[in-house]
Amino acid sequence: MKPALLQIGSFPPEVQAQIDAGFDRIDVRDFERDPSRAGEIRAIVTRSNLEVPAALVERLPKLGIIATNGVGHDLIPLALAARRGIAVSNTPDVLNAAVAELCIGALLALLRQLPQADRYVREGRWPGASFPLTSSLAGKQVGIVGLGRIGKDIARRLEPFGVALAYHGRSDQNLAWRFEADLGALARDADILIVAAPGGAETARMIDAHVLEALGPRGILVNVARGSLVDEEALLAALAEGRIAGAALDVFDREPDIDARFFGLENVLLMPHIGSATRETRAAMAQLMLDNLRSWFGSGRVLTPVPVPEH
Ligand code: NAP
């Protein structure tokens, strides 16, 4: 008999076929209508941009594993899982390249105004006047907030562009790049501030009005991490009033129904949370999620566990 698994969110057909081959799938919407099989469910599969409510986990006495497809785990009740001995797995590393590529692509698109340039040509404005001058990436100071797996990949891929790199985190990792313990000082020194730290209570709104003020009217913010890290009210005000130069944003406070005030701003590049969204990367992530599930059911261990929170 296949073990019962609760699924939150949807997966591409080929991934769904593999889930359904190994497990007796119960969709969370069906479960909410009819929770009679709560006592059978041993696994949850989800995507990292969807919430696994603590109240749901509490209703599943036999739950042994939560396997998320993605690296973020800010929407999973980790402390509760740890107390209950529930394994939590994510899909780190296999998405670093895709997120770093998007980050750098978005940064270049914002600096060189590629969406505007495309519109300019399509609208037949080229013969009338030259496209306005834009900004180079070369020679800029880049500050990275959260130099983990993705942050390091971004830093390594940015180096050949001829930028100066520094980073902020909870600890100095003794790397070739300059560590800055003070986030405000990192923003003050930076032309470009890239956010790549995890979401969650500890990092909530860390990019606040003071950090944006320090980044200044020539500064650019790139967020490929989580919307929760940025004070969106402060960001919208800073963008509208030209107190920062621009922002490239893959993530928002409320997704997908983002604050409509973003649509009226020309100095932002808006993306629908597509950091890992390439066919190759999504396939690798799904494979790792499935491997984690199979490993847990086979040996009681997952391959890529999410670290248990300290408190
Ligand atoms: P990671 O390897 O765990 O790295 C996170 C980094 O953030 C670590 O270097 C950590 O360094 C730092 N950090 C943790 N808490 C911090 C704090 N309070 N202040 C400053 N820095 C802090 O994670 P990752 O794999 O690089 O992923 C990073 C995040 O990217 C994920 O959590 C996820 O939310 C996001 N993400 C987004 C997309 C997308 O589609 N846009 C895709 C994948 C991932 P210290 O321990 O030294 O502080």
Side-chain angles (χ1 to χ4, degrees):
M1 221 172 70
K2 295 184 211 172
L5 165 151
L6 189 72
Q7 178 169 319
I8 301 175
S10 60
F11 292 97
E14 59 281 7
V15 180
Q16 194 64 66
Q18 289 198 61
I19 294 172
D20 294 348
F23 300 92
D24 178 3
R25 168 171 55 104
I26 303 167
D27 187 276
V28 71
R29 287 163 300 187
D30 296 332
F31 177 79
E32 293 305 343
R33 278 191 292 273
D34 173 15
S36 60
R37 297 184 63 196
E40 295 169 45
I41 291 167
R42 300 184 61 202
I44 290 179
V45 285
T46 183
R47 299 202 332 246
S48 68
N49 58 333
L50 301 173
E51 187 180 8
V52 181
L56 176 66
V57 172
E58 273 158 359
R59 288 158 73 193
L60 306 175
K62 292 226 176 85
L63 184 67
I65 174 170
I66 301 172
T68 186
N69 187 45
V71 77
H73 42 70
D74 44 313
L75 300 178
I76 298 175
L78 291 184
L80 170 63
R83 271 201 308 281
R84 289 261 313 271
I86 298 167
V88 181
S89 65
N90 62 351
T91 63
D93 285 322
V94 294
L95 43 60
N96 295 352
V99 182
E101 285 172 1
L102 185 86
C103 174
I104 295 169
L107 174 56
L108 288 168
L110 184 71
L111 284 171
R112 302 301 299 269
Q113 299 194 11
L114 298 187
Q116 291 89 338
D118 179 85
R119 245 180 284 146
Y120 185 81
V121 175
R122 283 171 200 273
E123 291 169 3
R125 287 188 278 149
W126 190 9
S130 305
F131 189 69
L133 297 182
T134 60
S135 295
S136 296
L137 175 55
K140 294 288 189 300
Q141 296 274 337
V142 179
I144 300 181
V145 182
L147 199 78
R149 290 168 293 226
I150 292 171
K152 287 191 187 77
D153 206 316
I154 293 169
R156 279 193 290 267
R157 285 161 196 264
L158 272 176
E159 261 184 333
F161 285 95
V163 298
L165 285 156
Y167 70 97
H168 167 79
R170 293 167 303 182
S171 54
D172 185 347
Q173 300 182 51
N174 297 311
L175 301 166
W177 304 303
R178 184 170 65 82
F179 173 70
E180 178 52 77
D182 177 357
L183 175 56
L186 184 85
R188 198 182 54 234
D189 294 345
D191 302 301
I192 295 155
L193 194 66
I194 295 175
V195 186
E202 204 189 318
T203 58
R205 315 271 175 272
M206 71 190 293
I207 309 297
D208 60 10
H210 298 292
V211 173
L212 296 171
E213 207 65 48
L215 186 57
R218 290 156 62 99
I220 277 176
L221 181 75
V222 183
N223 188 3
V224 290
R226 284 287 179 268
S228 63
L229 281 104
V230 176
D231 180 338
E232 235 173 52
E233 277 301 322
L235 175 62
L236 280 159
L239 285 164
E241 293 158 23
R243 285 187 281 107
I244 67 167
L249 307 168
D250 186 40
V251 285
F252 300 84
D253 238 358
R254 291 186 309 279
E255 298 178 11
D257 301 313
I258 72 166
D259 194 309
R261 286 174 289 174
F262 280 116
F263 304 144
L265 295 168
E266 261 301 301
N267 53 351
V268 289
L269 184 75
L270 305 173
M271 293 159 286
H273 200 149
I274 50 171
S276 68
T278 71
R279 282 186 289 278
E280 299 87 344
T281 300
R282 285 290 166 83
M285 291 162 65
Q287 189 59 55
L288 185 50
M289 179 190 77
L290 288 161
D291 289 348
N292 271 310
L293 271 177
R294 290 177 187 133
S295 172
W296 187 83
F297 277 95
S299 69
R301 299 167 79 94
V302 296
L303 306 173
T304 49
V306 170
V308 174
E310 280 157 27
H311 39 257

